[in-house]
């Protein structure tokens, strides 16, 4: 009896581990090539070549960088709080990976199809601030601490409007389950009726991932490198990987909420032959390109402008849009049907 | 079986981290242990099938409230020795409050004071839907009232800390955007060999 039980457990555990590996392996490779794509694309936009020497088209550059980082010495600053200092990059990296558990790559292709998927994503993304603030505090350095404070304030501010944008989508979809949200977009992607909210959400994801033009936490000219100024070697690499994995995660969240997840743009012959996961990946790549495009073309915001945009423009705007969406759905009788049992 | 194991894991870590919140010497550690306790409470919520409450606990308390705690604790210049000084003085009070809470918990578990035992509801309908259905119909006014209380608290906090200071330069975006080049810029032709000031003076004489 006990043998059967442990055997079943082992099989189930192995299956889950396999699923996790299938998601995380390609994700880490995607992160590696995202760093290369960033340098190449920004290079082309600025009429440079970018890294093109290591391997064909510079394809091996990320691996060379990774090897270099691994070979370096991990330096612990003398005044640092060692436990928290080492825990912060791990936390950032772990958080950027655990969120992938609920992302649906295709119909039924999801590790954990939980009822509150979108809340789970929102919760995990709101935890990202801890890695930053702990790193800044534990480094015992003024630059790092100032960077961490800026970052924490920025992330908390933009989460508010992100939450309201998500409410807009939920009103249209009538479910917190990510697969159900994608299915609700079969007739029309939410980007069309909720176009302003899509723009607000995209800009908020830029701020949430500390990307240009909102990369104040690591504003080189004032703070050297912000919260990870004291980090070196693999502890630095973990922050770096976490940041890029977060970019991909936020893009996939935008795809699920607004761009119809794994659904083709039109349900017609040549388009619906392409498998769903491929559509999903293509849409993520499109958004990531915009991330890089924005970085290459916009100057950095000033801190008070950033706060003004978040609190005085995005927050009221998305709040009014919630009222508008709810009102329209109620009047037109298009409210999603939710049975109360 | 595995649920029981996870229950003891979550409950054990939660109790241990709650104790650490109180006994930690460094207040930053206290807040970090508090966050750990919140997490394990969320885990317990998931175990009884209340996944909406679990996520809400993480989003609201861990994602927002504890961040502000951490902010305040890191920014304040706290004298650690002074903080520990009152420990024995406040110990009886803390024990009394803790005792009352334990008593209430026992009452809720074994007595009928709170309308008898309630088992976790297992149903096909997601508990987000269930909560929404009750919150916005049966308790709509209480819900609105709770929102109003929070609004009043927020306005109170702002009005207590907001003070008018003289000589503060403020940026008024609309005013800046309304500025036109013609209003604020003047193009002066400077003949070679003269400074702009001299050219301006010559212009004034004309």
């Amino acid at each position: 009896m006990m043998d059967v039980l442990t055997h079943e457990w082992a099989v189930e555990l192995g299956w889950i581990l396999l699923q996790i590996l299938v998601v995380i392996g390609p994700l880490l490779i995607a992160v590696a090539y995202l760093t290369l794509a960033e340098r190449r694309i920004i290079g082309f936009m600025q009429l440079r070549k970018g890294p093109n020497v290591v391997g064909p088209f510079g394809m091996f550059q990320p691996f060379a960088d990774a090897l270099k980082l691994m070979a370096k010495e991990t330096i612990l600053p003398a005044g640092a709080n060692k436990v928290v200092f080492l825990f912060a990059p791990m936390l950032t990296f772990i958080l950027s990976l655990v969120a992938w558990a609920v992302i649906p790559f295709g119909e039924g292709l999801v590790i954990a199809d939980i009822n509150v998927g979108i809340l789970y994503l929102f919760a995990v993304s709101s935890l990202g601030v801890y890695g930053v603030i702990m790193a800044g505090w534990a480094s015992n350095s003024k630059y790092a601490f100032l960077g961490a404070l800026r970052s924490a304030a920025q992330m908390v501010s933009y989460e508010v409007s992100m939450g309201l944008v998500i409410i807009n989508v939920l009103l249209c979809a009538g479910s917190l389950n990510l697969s159900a949200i994608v299915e609700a977009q079969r007739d029309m992607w939410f980007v069309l009726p909720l176009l302003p909210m899509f723009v607000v959400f995209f800009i908020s994801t830029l701020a949430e991932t500390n990307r240009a033009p909102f990369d104040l936490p690591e504003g080189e000219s004032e703070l050297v490198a912000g919260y990870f100024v004291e980090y070196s070697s693999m502890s630095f690499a973990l922050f770096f990987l976490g940041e890029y994995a977060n970019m991909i995660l936020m893009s996939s969240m935008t795809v699920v909420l607004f761009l119809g997840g794994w659904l083709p743009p039109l349900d017609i012959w040549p388009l619906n032959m392409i498998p769903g996961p491929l559509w999903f990946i293509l849409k993520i790549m499109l958004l990531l390109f915009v991330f890089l495009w924005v970085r290459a073309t916009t100057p950095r915001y000033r801190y008070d402008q950033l706060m003004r945009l978040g609190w005085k423009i995005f927050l009221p705007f998305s709040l009014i849009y919630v009222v508008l969406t709810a009102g329209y759905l109620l009047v037109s009788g298009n409210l999603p049907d939710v049975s109360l049992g | 079986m595995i649920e029981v194991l996870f229950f003891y894991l979550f409950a054990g870590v939660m109790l241990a981290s709650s104790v650490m919140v109180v006994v930690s010497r460094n207040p930053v550690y206290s807040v970090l242990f508090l966050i750990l306790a919140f997490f394990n409470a969320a885990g317990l919520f998931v175990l009884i099938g209340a996944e909406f409450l679990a996520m809400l606990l993480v989003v609201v308390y861990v994602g927002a409230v504890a961040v502000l705690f951490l902010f305040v604790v890191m920014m304040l210049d706290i004298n650690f020795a002074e903080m520990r000084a009152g420990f024995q003085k406040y110990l009886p009070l803390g024990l009394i409050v803790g005792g009352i809470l334990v008593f209430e918990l026992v009452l809720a578990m074994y007595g009928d004071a709170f309308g008898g035992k309630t088992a976790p509801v297992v149903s096909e309908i997601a508990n987000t839907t269930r909560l929404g259905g009750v919150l916005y119909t049966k308790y709509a006014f209480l819900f609105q009232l709770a929102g109003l209380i929070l609004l009043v608290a927020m306005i109170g906090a702002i009005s207590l800390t907001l003070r008018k200071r003289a000589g503060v330069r403020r940026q008024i975006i609309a005013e800046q955007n309304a500025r036109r080049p013609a209003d604020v810029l003047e193009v002066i032709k400077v003949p070679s060999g003269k400074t702009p000031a001299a050219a301006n003076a010559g212009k004034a004489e004309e």
Side-chain angles (χ1 to χ4, degrees):
Chain A
M1 181 64 201
M2 205 56 203
D3 284 343
V4 179
L5 212 66
T6 48
H7 179 68
E8 273 177 9
W9 276 16
V11 169
E12 202 170 316
L13 195 70
W15 174 234
I16 293 173
L17 282 176
L18 189 74
Q19 284 176 313
I20 293 172
L21 280 180
V22 165
V23 172
I24 288 186
L27 174 69
L28 290 181
I29 296 174
V31 167
Y33 278 104
L34 180 59
T35 62
L36 179 69
E38 170 164 44
R39 294 166 71 185
R40 293 285 285 182
I41 289 171
I42 292 180
F44 285 133
M45 285 181 183
Q46 295 169 347
L47 300 180
R48 298 182 282 116
K49 278 191 188 303
N52 64 347
V53 177
V54 190
F57 307 107
M59 293 293 266
F60 300 144
Q61 182 71 42
F63 301 105
D65 289 342
L67 271 178
K68 184 200 76 176
L69 278 172
M70 272 185 236
K72 295 229 169 187
E73 182 190 356
T74 305
I75 298 168
L76 290 174
N81 186 321
K82 296 204 170 47
V83 180
V84 182
F85 185 81
L86 289 177
F87 182 60
M90 293 183 212
L91 183 75
T92 306
F93 185 61
I94 292 169
L95 283 175
S96 68
L97 295 185
V98 289
W100 287 90
V102 296
I103 299 280
F105 294 92
E107 209 162 348
L109 287 179
V110 50
I111 296 177
D113 195 19
I114 60 175
N115 278 332
V116 287
I118 189 67
L119 269 181
Y120 174 83
L121 270 187
F122 193 57
V124 171
S125 76
S126 70
L127 292 181
V129 65
Y130 282 109
V132 173
I133 203 168
M134 280 160 77
W137 178 77
S139 298
N140 201 6
S141 148
K142 288 187 177 61
Y143 292 120
F145 191 56
L146 284 172
L149 286 184
R150 279 187 180 186
S151 180
Q154 174 177 335
M155 287 163 109
V156 171
S157 306
Y158 277 83
E159 248 156 45
V160 182
S161 52
M162 265 174 90
L164 284 169
V165 173
I166 290 174
I167 290 177
N168 271 301
V169 174
L170 296 183
L171 277 172
C172 296
S175 173
L176 294 173
N177 182 301
L178 291 176
S179 302
I181 291 174
V182 173
E183 277 304 323
Q185 302 178 57
R186 199 166 269 286
D187 298 326
M188 182 169 42
W189 294 0
F190 289 150
V191 67
L192 293 176
L194 299 174
L195 184 66
M197 287 299 98
F198 173 69
V199 175
V200 168
F201 192 79
F202 183 74
I203 297 175
S204 299
T205 57
L206 285 180
E208 189 77 4
T209 48
N210 292 330
R211 292 288 301 180
F214 306 113
D215 54 346
L216 287 138
E218 46 198 88
E220 291 90 351
S221 50
E222 309 120 57
L223 295 176
V224 196
Y227 56 90
F228 53 70
V229 68
E230 301 288 347
Y231 283 86
S232 59
S233 172
M234 275 320 278
S235 55
F236 168 78
L238 285 180
F239 270 122
F240 202 73
L241 286 172
E243 186 188 329
Y244 282 80
N246 257 333
M247 274 168 66
I248 304 179
L249 175 72
M250 284 293 171
S251 302
S252 64
M253 197 167 158
T254 317
V255 169
V256 167
L257 289 179
F258 290 102
L259 298 178
W262 66 81
L263 298 172
L266 291 168
D267 201 6
I268 50 174
W269 172 65
L271 293 179
N272 57 23
M273 287 302 287
I274 299 172
L278 208 60
W279 274 119
F280 191 67
I281 291 167
L282 277 176
K283 290 170 189 173
I284 290 179
M285 280 162 72
L286 178 78
L287 281 176
L288 285 174
F289 177 77
V290 182
F291 262 76
L292 305 180
W293 188 10
V294 168
R295 178 169 174 196
T297 46
T298 54
R300 187 175 290 140
Y301 257 53
R302 217 174 50 212
Y303 197 68
D304 60 316
Q305 292 172 331
L306 171 95
M307 283 296 163
R308 176 174 173 271
L309 184 69
W311 288 105
K312 292 190 178 170
I313 298 174
F314 280 0
L315 182 61
F317 183 55
S318 47
L319 194 59
I320 289 170
Y321 217 87
V322 169
V323 177
L324 278 179
T325 310
Y328 172 76
L329 289 173
L330 192 67
V331 170
S332 66
N334 280 331
L335 268 178
D337 192 30
V338 178
S339 86
L340 290 173
Chain B
M1 172 62 191
I2 199 157
E3 278 188 11
V4 175
L5 274 179
F6 271 105
F7 170 78
Y8 282 111
L9 178 74
F10 287 142
V13 175
M14 186 173 149
L15 284 180
S17 52
S18 309
V19 171
M20 288 306 289
V21 172
V22 185
V23 300
S24 290
R25 284 179 177 276
N26 190 333
V28 174
Y29 282 165
S30 290
V31 179
L32 292 179
F33 277 115
L34 186 67
I35 293 163
L36 190 61
F38 281 146
F39 257 111
N40 287 285
L44 289 177
F45 271 132
V46 170
L47 280 186
I48 60 166
E51 71 263 9
F52 180 73
L53 284 180
M55 290 304 145
L56 220 58
L57 188 71
V58 175
V59 171
V60 176
Y61 284 94
V62 182
V65 175
V67 172
L68 296 182
F69 271 11
L70 210 56
F71 243 79
V72 172
V73 166
M74 283 178 178
M75 298 293 285
L76 286 182
D77 187 22
I78 298 171
N79 186 346
F80 297 144
E82 205 172 277
M83 253 186 72
R84 310 273 312 165
F87 190 73
Q88 292 194 336
K89 204 171 79 185
Y90 295 119
L91 193 62
L93 188 68
L95 285 179
I96 290 170
V97 173
I100 291 172
L101 284 176
V102 169
F103 177 69
E104 285 178 349
L105 203 63
V106 171
L107 214 62
M109 275 169 73
Y110 298 108
D112 291 334
F114 295 94
K117 285 180 188 173
T118 47
V121 183
V122 181
S123 78
E124 290 295 302
I125 299 159
N127 59 43
T128 316
T129 320
R130 282 202 171 266
L131 267 177
V134 182
L135 203 59
Y136 292 102
T137 52
K138 198 174 170 190
Y139 298 111
F141 289 111
L142 288 176
F143 182 70
Q144 297 281 337
L145 193 68
L148 267 182
I149 290 171
L150 285 176
L151 181 68
V152 170
M154 194 168 76
I155 294 173
I158 292 172
S159 69
L160 280 177
T161 51
L162 188 73
R163 57 198 162 99
K164 279 238 157 43
R165 278 173 294 183
V168 178
R169 286 165 183 271
R170 281 189 196 285
Q171 185 184 23
I172 301 163
I173 307 280
E175 222 166 74
Q176 289 182 345
N177 285 341
R179 270 158 69 106
R180 290 283 160 260
D183 307 334
V184 287
L185 281 179
E186 191 185 355
V187 180
I188 301 168
K189 284 225 164 18
V190 184
S192 56
K194 277 189 178 178
T195 60
N200 214 6
K203 197 177 159 196
E205 276 165 26
E206 286 164 19

